[in-house]
Amino acid sequence: AQSVAQPEDQVNVAEGNPLTVKCTYSVSGNPYLFWYVQYPNRGLQFLLKYITGDNLVKGSYGFEAEFNKSQTSFHLKKPSALVSDSALYFCAVRDKAESSASKIIFGSGTRLSIRP
Amino acid sequence: KAGVTQTPRYLIKTRGQQVTLSCSPISGHRSVSWYQQTPGQGLQFLFEYFSETQRNKGNFPGRFSGRQFSNSRSEMNVSTLELGDSALYLCASSLRDSPLWGYTFGSGTRLTVV
């Protein structure tokens, strides 16, 4: 069975500093990995995904994530945080070894707060 | 092009009633998935439809059901509502039944059961 963990409920960062939001996963085969962001009273917006290839994935709004197979991690990063990055971030995973149905499992979410 | 449209945006129901939520996917998208979001449980997968067929189902009681029409629009129904069903219900559409094509989410329907 697939699962994903976001160990931090909240991450606080000063504007201009680098940020990292952590994510670890568990799948039986190789993973598809995703990051989504949610602003208040809105649905989820896609940030980036890892399917295969280069371990460093670049996404929207200057975010990037690094796939680390040995540590089963897919941490989200940004070199310089903006106040507007404050939101709820979700990591998600799907096991390539599963059937063709595209069920994606989400982590519990990490609230990112950027202080001016 | 228009995004994923969920109606209604807000809904207040009484315990024991039933409710139907609607999701119109992006034009051309044939896969629709539903998720329930609550502060305590996070995002939980309800079901996924592709070309009018339910492809996958989460661990929810039989009170939760759904369907997809030939135009890919989807509805989910919850019968005999309980207070714990209060949540934000999110619909996501995809071009095909593969995460390679990515999910696009609607803004959700916030259901409050009183």
Side-chain angles (χ1 to χ4, degrees), chain A residues 32 34 36 38 41-46 49 51 88 90 94 98-108, chain B residues 9-10 31 33 35 37 42-43 45 48 55-56 88 90 96-103 105-107 110:
Chain A
Y32 294 125
F34 308 84
Y36 285 83
Q38 185 178 33
N41 297 316
R42 301 299 301 273
L44 278 65
Q45 295 180 31
F46 171 80
K49 66 181 177 183
I51 302 298
L88 188 56
F90 290 94
R94 186 208 156 202
E98 290 198 356
S99 69
S100 61
S102 60
K103 181 175 72 172
I104 295 179
I105 301 299
F106 288 85
S108 55
Chain B
R9 285 296 308 275
Y10 302 92
S31 172
S33 297
Y35 288 82
Q37 185 178 18
L43 275 161
F45 173 77
E48 182 223 354
R55 300 293 294 272
N56 216 330
L88 180 66
L90 292 166
R96 297 181 184 175
D97 62 339
S98 165
L100 289 175
W101 297 90
Y103 275 7
F105 281 83
S107 294
R110 184 165 297 282

Side-chain angles (χ1 to χ4, degrees), chain B residues 51-70:
Chain B
S51 294
E52 301 179 67
T53 300
Q54 186 179 90
R55 300 293 294 272
N56 216 330
K57 191 176 190 302
N59 296 322
F60 278 81
R63 301 185 296 107
F64 290 81
S65 63
R67 59 179 176 170
Q68 186 180 33
F69 302 95
S70 58

Side-chain angles (χ1 to χ4, degrees), chain A residues 6-34:
Chain A
Q6 294 181 242
E8 302 157 315
D9 290 337
Q10 175 135 358
V11 171
N12 300 307
V13 177
E15 188 175 29
N17 283 1
L19 68 87
T20 298
V21 183
K22 296 179 180 177
C23 170
T24 58
Y25 65 89
S26 175
V27 296
S28 56
N30 291 315
Y32 294 125
L33 293 158
F34 308 84

